[in-house]
């Protein structure tokens, strides 16, 4: 166990969350709010890129979709980090947690490239499929963390 990780667990905030009966579940609830906002927007935008409801203007849809997705992602990162510090040494040694973080990083890069082009062609359709499968997998990994 490395000392910076132990230091995180020793933080007042981490100890308070650990010893409160309601704080952790509340933060976890907010994590799910963030995930809902992120994944909901991603599904709508990706389906549009894949050709569903092609009459809807992609730029207009993306303007709102990206904003809600970013707010949701910010909430998920904030609440995820709070949960992380309560069990940092355990999670840092978990392959599933590391995989989840790497996948989030790759999906973020994928989303930035998609957003930069805002078109619906062959490459962006492949990216939309990767995005749908990838974010769905991140949700599965997050849920499975509690059981492994
Ligand atoms: C930096 C970003 C993130 C961090 C540090 C983080 C961290 C965590 C932690 C520590 C847990 C609790 C694991 C446990 O039960 O032992 C968790 C749960 C979870 N995470 Fe994340 N997370 C992040 C982003 C995300 C994102 C972007 C998604 C989905 C799109 C996600 C999906 C989930 C799910 C579905 C759960 C399970 C919630 C539950 O069982 O109630 N996480 N996350």
């Amino acid at each position: 166990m490395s000392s910076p990780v132990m230091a995180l667990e020793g933080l007042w905030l981490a100890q308070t969350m650990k010893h409160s009966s309601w704080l952790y579940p509340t933060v976890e609830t907010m994590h799910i709010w963030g995930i809902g906002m992120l994944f909901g927007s991603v599904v709508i935008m990706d389906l549009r890129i894949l050709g569903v409801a092609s009459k809807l203007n992609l730029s207009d849809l993306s303007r709102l979709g990206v904003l809600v997705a970013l707010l949701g992602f910010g909430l998920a990162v904030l609440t995820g980090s709070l949960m992380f510090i309560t069990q940092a040494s355990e999670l840092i040694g978990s392959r599933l947690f590391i995989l989840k973080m790497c996948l989030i990083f790759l999906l973020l890069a994928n989303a930035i490239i998609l957003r930069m082009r805002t078109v619906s062609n062959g490459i962006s359709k492949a990216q939309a499929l990767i995005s749908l499968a990838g974010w769905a997998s991140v949700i599965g990994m997050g849920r499975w963390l509690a059981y492994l």
Side-chain angles (χ1 to χ4, degrees):
M1 196 187 297
S2 63
S3 55
V5 173
M6 281 179 78
L8 275 181
E9 280 188 29
L11 288 175
W12 170 82
L13 193 55
Q15 289 300 317
T16 307
M17 279 205 34
K18 217 169 179 168
H19 295 114
S20 154
S21 57
W22 59 272
L23 253 179
Y24 192 97
T26 303
V27 169
E28 195 156 23
T29 302
M30 293 168 81
H31 199 57
I32 297 171
W33 289 347
I35 296 161
M37 288 165 71
L38 170 67
F39 194 59
S41 311
V42 161
V43 168
I44 296 290
M45 289 188 289
D46 286 346
L47 284 178
R48 171 60 190 82
I49 291 168
L50 286 167
V52 177
S54 54
K55 281 184 185 152
L56 291 179
N57 182 281
L58 184 53
S59 302
D60 290 343
L61 197 68
S62 301
R63 209 166 295 134
L64 178 61
V66 169
L67 178 69
V68 177
L70 279 177
L71 286 173
F73 184 72
L75 188 58
V77 171
L78 184 71
T79 50
S81 306
L82 285 173
M83 290 191 289
F84 173 77
I85 60 171
T86 67
Q87 42 182 327
S89 50
E90 198 185 312
L91 285 171
I92 216 76
S94 157
R95 277 193 197 158
L96 188 62
F97 181 75
I98 302 298
L99 195 63
K100 177 183 164 186
M101 290 302 115
C102 293
L103 193 52
I104 289 174
F105 180 77
L106 291 174
L107 289 166
L108 217 53
N110 184 53
I112 291 168
I113 297 168
L114 250 182
R115 171 72 189 149
M116 273 160 44
R117 291 191 280 119
T118 331
V119 286
S120 180
N121 60 21
I123 295 172
S124 60
K125 280 183 178 165
Q127 282 184 281
L129 280 177
I130 289 169
S131 161
L132 282 172
W135 288 115
S137 305
V138 169
I139 292 174
M141 287 173 188
R143 193 69 270 259
W144 270 90
L145 272 174
Y147 299 94
L148 295 176

